[in-house]
Amino acid sequence: MPDPLVIAPEGELDFARVGEFRDALSRADRASVSIVVDLSSVSFIDSSGLGALVDLYGRLRRGNRRLAVVAPGGTAAAVLLNLSGLQTRMPIFPTLEAALAP
């Protein structure tokens, strides 16, 4: 099985930048492998960024592929994933190493 593709956006992941994030997710999705989205360097994420993750998660699940999201505790991404309830719906990991572990 091929290694998962890692997408690691940086800075703010909001409505103004979600288009490039969605493009990166779509390119990774077309590669037909599992995907790790590392949000460790994201300083802000809004609902448009979360929506992109939810959309990708649904597509990957339908294709029997895996999505792992890295959101270290206390980061903006971890807080929003927790507040939105997504931490119980998709696999969230505290580190990239944990997300890549078999």
Side-chain angles (χ1 to χ4, degrees):
M1 177 181 287
D3 290 337
L5 285 175
V6 178
I7 298 171
E10 296 181 357
E12 295 185 0
L13 187 49
D14 57 10
F15 182 76
R17 291 195 52 216
V18 76
E20 65 187 73
F21 182 55
R22 282 188 179 274
D23 289 346
L25 296 178
S26 291
R27 284 190 303 275
D29 186 17
R30 286 191 298 273
S32 297
V33 297
S34 295
I35 300 171
V36 175
V37 178
D38 184 352
L39 300 175
S40 300
S41 296
V42 170
S43 59
F44 175 81
I45 184 170
D46 69 7
S47 61
S48 61
L50 286 184
L53 282 175
V54 170
D55 290 346
L56 177 66
Y57 182 59
R59 287 194 311 269
L60 293 179
R61 281 190 52 171
R62 285 188 296 278
N64 288 326
R65 291 184 288 147
R66 179 177 178 254
L67 170 66
V69 178
V70 178
T75 63
V79 170
L80 192 55
L81 287 164
N82 185 39
L83 288 174
S84 67
L86 290 175
Q87 84 285 359
T88 61
R89 296 184 54 209
M90 63 177 60
I92 311 292
F93 297 88
T95 66
L96 181 58
E97 294 75 21
L100 292 172

